[in-house]
Amino acid sequence: MKLRRLWAIVLKEIRQLRRDRITLAMIVVIPVGQLVLFGYAINMNPRGLNAAIADQSQTAASRALVMDMVATGVIEPVADADTPQQLMEMLRRGQVSVGVSIPADFERRRIDGREAVQVLVDGSDTVVQSAAVQLAQMPIDSTVAAPRKVAPISVVAFYNPERRSPVNIVPGLIGVILTMTMVMFTSVAIVRERERGNMELLITTPVSRTELMIGKVLPYAVIGLVQTTVVILLGLWLFDVPIKGSALDVYLAAILLILANLTLGLMISTKAGSQFQAMQMTVFILLPSILLSGFMFPYAGMPKVAQWLAEVLPMTHFLRLIRGVMLRGASLWELWQDVLYLSVFIVVMMTAAVARFSKRLD
């Protein structure tokens, strides 16, 4: 082995790395990104859970109790309700994660040492359910010295009272798998044609650029629906994961995420110079999608900056849709904000990909 020849190869690789800006950026961005995401954004103790309050007592003691609950930092009131039924409806629609129901006879129950308050929780997220249980540990002042036989504050979990992890994980896995495969498939689509020398042939055909982009997306969309079906069937068979909503809504939500990821992959493909670069850029999408969307870690536990970043990711909105439909029985119409975002995202990404593709062909 000649050290001179070895050093020449090392210098060549260093110069080539300096020219590859995407790889150079990955060297810095991946460790910094992981450090920030894991150290700053990820929090297993969620705080500030969106809550609705139904205070039918409207007494000084009931208002003080609500203030004490808010002071714990576990909940943050964002809405008021008149009845427990309204709280349950808000939970089903995903408007809140926690509902606090204080009955009209709160004062009498408090004095008698009976169950005085109910905390209704969206149990489809087991971490949120565990956090809400902390509210049941709060003491309520009583003028009776006799021991209480019933807990003054009780927690009622809906949609997953057994706290089974697969009920929460399996719907989220649909999003993870579709994000991983769909972005990866189309992120190399245009680059692969260029590397194989087929780009000139495509340019000479009468197919428009928009038709070319849509034609590359549609086959993978079918594959995505097949993957969705496989995950749903295995979830039902192996883990008894329920589908409380419409199966049509489940597939409509899936197709929204599929198209969003495919168009995002096309955008990456028009930017990347090689298939290797396209795969590297895919990591920038996959890692935050898993960590910030609420799949692995509670969304409510993240700081505001991380939540703003999560709102940009298609998977964050898909998780709200799929868990709302499968676990809570909500309809897509009731979750229209997330449907609207994904629809706009698809249009914007496809338009940008077509525009950038046209520019590169000129």
Side-chain angles (χ1 to χ4, degrees), residues 24 123 127 154 197 221:
L24 196 60
V127 177
S154 65

Side-chain angles (χ1 to χ4, degrees), residues 5 9 52 89 111 121 134-135 198 220 244 286 340 360:
R5 293 198 296 260
I9 296 297
E89 186 66 16
I111 294 173
V121 186
Q134 301 176 29
L135 299 176
N198 296 334
Y220 298 116
K244 295 185 177 180
L286 183 60
L340 178 62
R360 293 177 67 91

Side-chain angles (χ1 to χ4, degrees), residues 111-256:
I111 294 173
D112 295 342
R114 294 181 292 153
E115 180 183 291
V117 179
Q118 276 194 339
V119 177
L120 313 180
V121 186
D122 177 7
S124 60
D125 191 332
T126 55
V127 177
V128 171
Q129 185 176 345
S130 299
V133 170
Q134 301 176 29
L135 299 176
Q137 311 303 320
M138 292 182 53
I140 297 181
D141 293 335
S142 176
T143 59
V144 179
R148 301 179 180 124
K149 296 182 180 180
V150 181
I153 301 179
S154 65
V155 176
V156 182
F158 294 90
Y159 315 120
N160 186 18
E162 304 92 352
R163 300 179 64 178
R164 294 193 299 121
S165 295
V167 173
N168 180 57
I169 294 297
V170 171
L173 275 177
I174 298 175
V176 172
I177 293 171
L178 292 179
T179 299
M180 183 184 303
T181 55
M182 296 296 104
V183 176
M184 188 180 301
F185 284 157
T186 52
S187 65
V188 299
I190 304 300
V191 182
R192 183 172 57 242
E193 299 290 355
R194 187 180 300 111
E195 290 182 345
R196 292 179 178 178
N198 296 334
M199 189 60 66
E200 292 78 7
L201 178 62
L202 291 174
I203 295 174
T204 58
T205 62
V207 177
S208 68
R209 295 169 180 123
T210 302
E211 292 171 341
L212 175 62
M213 288 291 189
I214 295 177
K216 285 188 170 296
V217 163
L218 290 181
Y220 298 116
V222 176
I223 294 175
L225 291 175
V226 173
Q227 290 179 325
T228 302
T229 303
V230 171
V231 175
I232 290 175
L233 292 178
L234 288 178
L236 288 171
W237 179 40
L238 297 177
F239 304 108
D240 195 26
V241 177
I243 301 180
K244 295 185 177 180
S246 168
L248 177 61
D249 284 346
V250 171
Y251 279 97
L252 289 177
I255 196 65
L256 284 174

